[in-house]
Amino acid sequence: MPPFPLRYGAYVISLLGLAGSLLGAEEDPGWWWGVLGFGLLVALGSHDILQRRRTVSRNYPILAHLRYNLESFGPELRQYIIQPDNEAVPFSREQRRLVYQRAKDISDKRPFGSLCDMRTPGYEWMSPSLSPARIDDPDFRITIGAGRARPYRASVFNISAMSFGALSAHAISALNQGARLGGFYHDTGEGAISPHHRHGGDLVWEIGSGYFGCRDEQGRFDPERFREQATADTVKMIEIKLSQGAKPGHGGILPAAKVTAEIASTRGVTMGQDVVSPAAHSAFSTPRELIHFIRRLRELSGDKPVGIKLAIGHAWEWFALVKAMLEEDEAPDFVVVDGGEGGTGAAPLELTNRLGMPLTEALLLVHNTLVGAGLRERVSLGAAGKVISAFDLARAMALGADWCNAARGYMFALGCIQAQNCHTDRCPSGVATQDPLRGSRLDVEHKSRRVERFHANTLAALAEMLAAAGLSHPRELGPEHVMHRLSAHEVKSFDELYDILPPDELLNGGASRHPVFRDYWDLADPDHFDPPDALARRRHSKLV
């Protein structure tokens, strides 16, 4: 056996190499290069042995760094070499390639047939018709806030909430210019309306718990500051963010070091201080108070459509909000359902993976409740959460959505490569960074046209799918149009797979005939979000 563990081999060889190079340097100056190289390795190995934080480095001096380096670019190896074309983690190579091709306006056609295993449980498809329709104009539109003084004619595919601060200045500018060119809306995210949002694109101003852009010095809602911005012509709708699919019930903090003068001015905060987004709103705390806040924002904005965005958790909380709508005879003009599979710049792993209802179940619950409560004609319904292709749009609309929003899809259109470095400020494509040098490399004019083309070509693909199904507009989609494979021998349509409530079912005492509604509808209270008494008792004793 050698006089030292083999795992120290690289360190010992470096020591011997350094000694030999020093001896050789006495006769030939060229050996000093060996002294430099082996000296650096000896220094690294000595540091590994003497430091106390990394046991692997102490046991495997020098060699441990090979493991660390492989681990650091493991995601890239899997994404570009190992990962199959149709494995979505979170988005597959096939999905990303589709966006790139549509954004560049090059052919997205495929030869030879599908890569999908159509016999796998979970596979879904749309049913074609023997009597296809013809669609001449794929610019599908819906009206939101039809009873308002300033209703909005929205595209069925828009840019989801992403704040300035999460995305670079150039990325926000390109998205807004692309929205203007394509005639669709750009959700500001909760980081307020920045100068980079003001390139003429339609805006949906998202108001979060930090009230950025409309807050006083204590961080509370300021109605006059809100009025100043909400009445701008480019602001088409107001969206109150209750929660986010990727991290519901979670606040946030922007460290003081990242609060630049521009961000401080945009958000209405003090430069050099941490900026906190609380988990909950301070302007309301009950379902009824939320309805009153919606009414107030509508008045302050000049009667523009006002809605909410939420991730679904406890069913009774959503039911309580719907009951408040009924009792107050007032409802949001729209609800955007954010699925648990939605994206974020940074969130704790447990929140991203295990908190919040996925889009399918959440969208169906919200749609069913509004239908059963007789409110669906008054409240438009949007959906967000990993929507990227024409089929994703059609699928969500078959479950009840009027339109869809996408965030990461439009990031891909900007050039995002899914490096998943959004939280490190080292985004290689200049999209999700506040590094001025990295962000400035994103060409606004070029990328804005890519955003426009991705939107247009995706809607053109949706028109082709609808026409093949014998339909002329997404509003005609229903649960009967999408099929789901349960097993190798069983297939059901969404209409058969899911419980669909008839109109006014909840008003006519039909809650008992439907799961979830049977358990919680009658117990929900419009005056609070608290759980029913039986469930509340369980929080204090496991014996109940």
Side-chain angles (χ1 to χ4, degrees), residues 49-68:
I49 291 172
L50 295 174
Q51 60 84 35
R52 306 182 67 84
R53 296 182 62 186
R54 292 182 170 182
T55 305
V56 174
S57 293
R58 300 186 78 188
N59 280 325
Y60 294 86
I62 300 176
L63 291 176
H65 293 274
L66 179 62
R67 180 224 181 241
Y68 299 144

Side-chain angles (χ1 to χ4, degrees), residues 479-499:
E480 71 277 11
H481 290 111
V482 180
M483 309 299 293
H484 180 95
R485 180 176 292 283
L486 295 169
S487 70
H489 308 290
E490 186 177 12
V491 169
K492 288 186 176 181
S493 69
F494 280 0
D495 200 20
E496 300 168 301
L497 191 61
Y498 298 113
D499 183 38

Side-chain angles (χ1 to χ4, degrees), residues 285-318:
S285 60
T286 70
R288 204 181 296 274
E289 288 176 359
L290 172 55
I291 297 302
H292 296 164
F293 188 60
I294 290 171
R295 183 186 295 131
R296 188 182 186 193
L297 295 190
R298 205 177 272 142
E299 293 169 355
L300 291 168
S301 65
D303 204 29
K304 292 180 179 180
V306 177
I308 60 175
K309 180 180 87 171
L310 79 168
I312 295 294
H314 301 303
W316 64 80
E317 295 177 345
W318 164 243

Side-chain angles (χ1 to χ4, degrees), residues 161-163 165-166 190 206 209 212 241-254 267 275 277-280 309-313 338-357 408 422-423:
M162 294 180 284
S163 300
E190 66 176 306
E206 183 176 88
S209 58
F212 298 125
K241 175 187 172 184
L242 302 181
S243 55
Q244 178 179 346
K247 48 181 179 181
H250 189 266
I253 183 169
L254 188 65
R267 298 194 177 196
V275 179
S277 294
K309 180 180 87 171
L310 79 168
I312 295 294
D338 207 20
E341 58 271 67
T344 178
L349 182 67
E350 291 85 355
L351 269 69
T352 299
N353 284 351
R354 303 295 176 183
L355 200 64
M357 194 178 292
R408 288 168 291 181
C422 311
H423 62 303

Side-chain angles (χ1 to χ4, degrees), residues 158-193:
N158 303 283
I159 301 171
S160 197
M162 294 180 284
S163 300
F164 170 56
L167 300 193
S168 68
H170 280 221
I172 293 292
S173 295
L175 288 172
N176 194 257
Q177 287 194 31
R180 173 176 57 81
L181 293 170
F184 52 101
Y185 79 64
H186 178 193
D187 192 312
T188 65
E190 66 176 306
I193 304 172

Side-chain angles (χ1 to χ4, degrees), residues 304-422:
K304 292 180 179 180
V306 177
I308 60 175
K309 180 180 87 171
L310 79 168
I312 295 294
H314 301 303
W316 64 80
E317 295 177 345
W318 164 243
F319 294 165
L321 180 53
V322 174
K323 283 189 171 182
M325 299 177 200
L326 291 171
E327 291 197 8
E328 294 291 322
D329 193 24
E330 187 77 78
D333 295 297
F334 63 91
V335 174
V336 175
V337 181
D338 207 20
E341 58 271 67
T344 178
L349 182 67
E350 291 85 355
L351 269 69
T352 299
N353 284 351
R354 303 295 176 183
L355 200 64
M357 194 178 292
L359 180 60
T360 296
E361 291 76 14
L363 178 59
L364 192 64
L365 180 67
V366 171
H367 173 67
N368 264 339
T369 311
L370 293 173
V371 170
L375 294 169
R376 187 62 181 85
E377 293 299 316
R378 295 171 59 184
V379 181
S380 298
L381 191 54
K386 218 170 181 181
V387 175
I388 203 165
S389 70
F391 178 72
D392 296 334
L393 291 166
R395 185 185 188 280
M397 292 170 182
L399 287 168
D402 294 306
W403 83 94
C404 293
N405 294 337
R408 288 168 291 181
Y410 283 102
M411 288 174 66
F412 290 140
L414 290 174
C416 167
I417 60 172
Q418 197 173 272
Q420 300 181 64
N421 281 327
C422 311

Side-chain angles (χ1 to χ4, degrees), residues 3-266:
F4 55 86
L6 287 176
R7 64 179 182 271
Y8 280 71
Y11 182 53
V12 171
I13 291 171
S14 297
L15 287 169
L16 294 175
L18 176 61
S21 297
L22 286 169
L23 291 173
E26 295 180 0
E27 298 182 5
D28 183 356
W31 281 95
W32 284 106
W33 289 107
V35 172
L36 177 62
F38 284 115
L40 291 172
L41 289 173
V42 168
L44 178 64
S46 299
H47 174 269
D48 287 342
I49 291 172
L50 295 174
Q51 60 84 35
R52 306 182 67 84
R53 296 182 62 186
R54 292 182 170 182
T55 305
V56 174
S57 293
R58 300 186 78 188
N59 280 325
Y60 294 86
I62 300 176
L63 291 176
H65 293 274
L66 179 62
R67 180 224 181 241
Y68 299 144
N69 288 329
L70 285 172
E71 184 180 48
S72 69
F73 56 80
E76 286 81 5
L77 286 174
R78 289 190 292 273
Q79 179 170 319
Y80 294 117
I81 299 174
I82 301 170
Q83 177 186 329
D85 278 353
N86 55 356
E87 182 181 336
V89 283
F91 287 91
S92 69
R93 185 183 293 113
E94 182 180 72
Q95 289 172 312
R96 299 193 306 273
R97 185 191 298 130
L98 181 68
V99 177
Y100 298 148
Q101 289 171 332
R102 288 179 175 167
K104 295 175 184 176
D105 206 20
I106 60 179
S107 175
D108 60 359
K109 304 301 184 284
R110 294 288 186 276
F112 222 67
S114 175
L115 295 177
C116 298
D117 183 353
M118 299 184 184
R119 304 291 295 175
T120 301
Y123 176 75
E124 294 176 344
W125 67 95
M126 235 173 96
S127 298
S129 171
L130 292 177
S131 179
R134 176 176 174 175
I135 299 176
D136 296 319
D137 183 8
D139 184 24
F140 304 115
R141 299 269 159 182
I142 58 152
T143 299
I144 305 174
R148 303 292 146 222
R150 302 177 67 178
Y152 180 55
R153 286 281 291 169
S155 169
V156 298
F157 188 39
N158 303 283
I159 301 171
S160 197
M162 294 180 284
S163 300
F164 170 56
L167 300 193
S168 68
H170 280 221
I172 293 292
S173 295
L175 288 172
N176 194 257
Q177 287 194 31
R180 173 176 57 81
L181 293 170
F184 52 101
Y185 79 64
H186 178 193
D187 192 312
T188 65
E190 66 176 306
I193 304 172
S194 73
H196 313 291
H197 287 99
R198 303 181 188 276
H199 293 280
D202 291 349
L203 293 177
V204 171
W205 184 13
E206 183 176 88
I207 308 294
S209 58
Y211 305 111
F212 298 125
C214 57
R215 58 188 269 149
D216 61 18
E217 293 182 357
Q218 287 73 43
R220 297 169 304 195
F221 176 72
D222 185 321
E224 289 309 312
R225 289 187 178 181
F226 172 80
R227 189 200 306 270
E228 289 173 11
Q229 301 222 50
T231 53
D233 287 339
T234 53
V235 176
K236 304 301 182 182
M237 301 195 295
I238 312 297
E239 178 182 274
I240 303 168
K241 175 187 172 184
L242 302 181
S243 55
Q244 178 179 346
K247 48 181 179 181
H250 189 266
I253 183 169
L254 188 65
K258 291 188 175 182
V259 183
T260 65
E262 187 175 35
I263 289 177
S265 174
T266 295

